[in-house]
Amino acid sequence: MEQIPHGSSDDPNPLRRLTLEQLRRRTSVKWREHPDDVLPLWVAEMDVPLAEPVARALTEAVAIGDTGYPAGTAYPEALAAFASERWGWDGIAVDRTRLVPDVMLGIVEVLKLITAPGDAVVVNCPVYNPFYLFVSHMERRVVEAPLDDRARIDHAALEEAFRRAVAGGRRAAYLLCSPHNPTGTVHTAAELAAVAELAARYGVRVVADEIHAPLVSRSARFVPYLSVPGAGSGFSLMSASKAWNLAGLKAALAVAGPDAADDLAAMPPEVGHGPSHLGVIAHTAALRDGGEWLDAVLDGIDDNRELLVDLLATHLPSVRHLPGEGTYLAWLDCRALGVGDDPAAHFLDRARVALHPGPPFGTGGAGHARLNLATSPEVLTEAVRRMAGAV
């Protein structure tokens, strides 16, 4: 496996610039959870070097000892400029943002503002498994609204979930994953407008996890939830974390729609003490100056999406896969393989390939596994070949 031919510092594809030997020097969870004979395609970390503008900003900060507490509005200003340029949306007002430690902790703080213990939070399953963990830990009830068979929002199921969530006059929230993790679904403007109309009808507050927003295929279009008609009472949580591989540099932003500004203003100021100053510097640099690097990554991910389709057709034709247009994740339906509810366990044991187990993603997760496409084409090819040899 060490002979997999990739790793060139001048390759235009950042996913091909690092060798396995270089990647294994990392001490993050992706590279420390499993032994070296395992190909790790599970957790959402990318096999890329740090974007040069981010590395430069951090190096300059360290050189002058700029390692104190975060201050100022450079981060939301950079996000507003990025949203305008990339998505044609000028709806981010700096005074309707709050700095939070990361997207999930920001979601928790927003849910505290608009719900109480015992209230319901609606999710579209299968969905990012920390939604279940964090919501349950804060003593809210999870109400599932399953996606349809095309991995899109099922509005009839969503309406039924909203009806159950607000039964008895209780408050409720809808935790929208956009783009959707694990399927990679990119919601359309019409779908999101229908969500806003439904939420207004039932009095449900929408909280959109848009951490993967910059990671949308070059042939697709990301639509911010707060940009659609009727979404003014909603919230968005955004970050450069996923798109620039900055999970270890904690910083995110909670963004309120115009009708939710007073709610966000009630967020306790101590929430803003959790983000890292270096994190704020890194995320600001990524959004402001990292566009060229991001485009190269998006091209590499698009190539890997196509490659995975070909690899599965050739080596694992029984695996059902609907390629998504967003994230760098692929949702694999392995039920026809007969390897049980947790195919990831089977592939780890028999193929030495680590995927994310499907069952924790909720209803619809059994028999599935999530694969991380943000690696080199060579590693992806080797992983699928190994998986094929294990069934």
Side-chain angles (χ1 to χ4, degrees):
M1 187 175 64
E2 297 293 350
Q3 305 307 313
I4 292 175
H6 76 285
S8 172
S9 60
D10 59 354
D11 195 302
N13 180 358
L15 294 168
R16 301 192 75 247
R17 289 183 192 161
L18 301 175
T19 65
L20 280 173
E21 182 181 4
Q22 289 172 312
L23 289 165
R24 288 202 181 103
R25 291 172 57 194
R26 294 180 170 180
T27 58
S28 63
V29 66
K30 180 175 185 178
W31 296 97
R32 287 294 181 265
E33 181 72 11
H34 302 290
D36 282 353
D37 66 327
V38 172
L39 289 178
L41 302 181
W42 62 291
V43 74
E45 295 181 26
M46 294 197 288
D47 295 348
V48 291
L50 194 60
E52 194 278 334
V54 176
R56 182 173 61 247
L58 290 172
T59 299
E60 291 174 355
V62 171
I64 63 172
D66 188 10
T67 54
Y69 297 107
T73 58
Y75 188 3
E77 289 167 2
L79 177 60
F82 182 87
S84 179
E85 177 184 351
R86 291 275 168 155
W87 309 322
W89 179 48
D90 295 315
I92 296 180
V94 170
D95 62 352
R96 284 191 276 108
T97 66
R98 288 293 182 275
L99 186 63
V100 294
D102 59 33
V103 163
M104 275 312 308
L105 291 178
I107 286 170
V108 167
E109 294 300 330
V110 169
L111 289 176
K112 287 179 181 177
L113 297 174
I114 58 176
T115 64
D119 287 341
V121 177
V122 176
V123 302
N124 295 124
C125 55
V127 72
Y128 182 51
N129 57 302
F131 279 15
Y132 294 90
L133 302 176
F134 280 79
V135 169
S136 298
H137 182 71
M138 59 186 300
E139 300 180 337
R140 271 66 170 174
R141 297 178 292 116
V142 174
V143 175
E144 293 185 323
L147 299 172
D148 67 17
D149 58 6
R150 298 172 301 122
R152 307 206 72 87
I153 296 171
D154 183 328
H155 288 279
L158 188 62
E159 181 169 11
E160 174 57 27
F162 283 1
R163 185 180 293 113
R164 287 187 284 130
V166 300
R170 300 208 65 141
R171 293 190 294 177
Y174 170 38
L175 187 46
L176 170 68
C177 195
S178 181
H180 194 84
N181 175 1
T183 63
T185 305
V186 176
H187 309 302
T188 67
E191 288 171 328
L192 294 174
V195 164
E197 188 278 328
L198 203 59
R201 192 190 316 164
Y202 284 90
V204 174
R205 303 294 293 278
V206 179
V207 182
D209 173 356
E210 297 181 323
I211 194 171
H212 289 278
L215 290 164
V216 168
S217 171
R218 305 257 253 164
S219 62
R221 174 175 173 251
F222 171 73
V223 179
Y225 175 72
L226 295 179
S227 72
V228 302
S233 66
F235 299 85
S236 170
L237 279 298
M238 291 187 174
S239 169
S241 174
K242 288 292 181 282
W244 284 271
N245 210 42
L246 303 176
L249 291 162
K250 294 288 190 179
L253 290 167
V255 183
D259 301 327
D262 289 345
D263 292 310
L264 189 62
M267 182 177 286
E270 59 266 24
V271 173
H273 297 172
S276 158
H277 180 44
L278 291 178
V280 171
I281 289 171
H283 289 240
T284 302
L287 291 163
R288 187 180 56 217
D289 302 317
E292 183 177 345
W293 182 92
L294 175 63
D295 287 338
V297 169
L298 293 177
D299 287 340
I301 293 170
D302 277 348
D303 289 345
N304 277 1
R305 284 195 188 99
E306 295 180 8
L307 175 62
L308 180 62
V309 169
D310 292 341
L311 289 170
L312 292 176
T314 300
H315 300 288
L316 286 168
S318 296
V319 172
R320 183 172 180 263
H321 166 55
L322 295 174
E325 295 179 310
T327 78
Y328 48 74
L329 308 168
W331 187 236
L332 307 182
D333 182 349
C334 303
R335 288 174 291 181
L337 298 178
V339 295
D341 285 348
D342 186 5
H346 174 88
F347 289 127
L348 179 59
D349 181 52
R350 303 290 182 87
R352 309 308 286 160
V353 174
L355 307 178
H356 198 296
F361 288 84
T363 299
H368 292 70
R370 193 189 73 178
L371 180 148
N372 181 344
L373 289 164
T375 189
S376 71
E378 292 81 5
V379 167
L380 181 60
T381 300
E382 172 67 11
V384 175
R385 287 176 176 166
R386 287 188 184 193
M387 291 162 63
V391 296

